[in-house]
Amino acid sequence: MSRMLTSIFMIGSIGYFAFRFRYRIINLMLRSGWMRRLAVGSIMSFPGVKNKMMQTVFGRPTERPSEW
């Protein structure tokens, strides 16, 4: 029983610190060139993300609501 509680506490602690320092962890991981290439390649493999990115970069500008 105490081993299970210890495991739950450790997983919770790791999750808390990973969430708290998530941007530092992401910057540390993406500092490496091959990790950056792997991350971009895996994100761009999703069709919705790839289509939205290509439309934003190469497509027509989207219409903005009038602010006047």
Side-chain angles (χ1 to χ4, degrees):
M1 183 71 172
S2 76
R3 184 176 175 156
M4 186 173 78
L5 287 176
T6 304
S7 297
I8 291 172
F9 178 73
M10 291 300 292
I11 291 170
S13 297
I14 291 170
Y16 169 75
F17 283 108
F19 180 76
R20 185 163 184 222
F21 298 111
R22 63 190 178 271
Y23 297 115
R24 289 185 186 184
I25 293 170
I26 290 171
N27 285 337
L28 183 69
M29 288 186 348
L30 294 180
R31 195 176 293 170
S32 171
W34 66 272
M35 284 289 288
R36 193 177 324 117
R37 192 174 308 128
L38 180 71
V40 170
S42 64
I43 290 172
M44 292 296 279
S45 68
F46 294 112
V49 173
K50 185 175 181 178
N51 290 338
K52 183 69 173 174
M53 180 80 68
M54 293 300 162
Q55 181 183 13
T56 302
V57 173
F58 299 114
R60 288 181 276 147
T62 58
E63 295 199 21
R64 296 184 181 180
S66 62
E67 297 177 5
W68 306 342

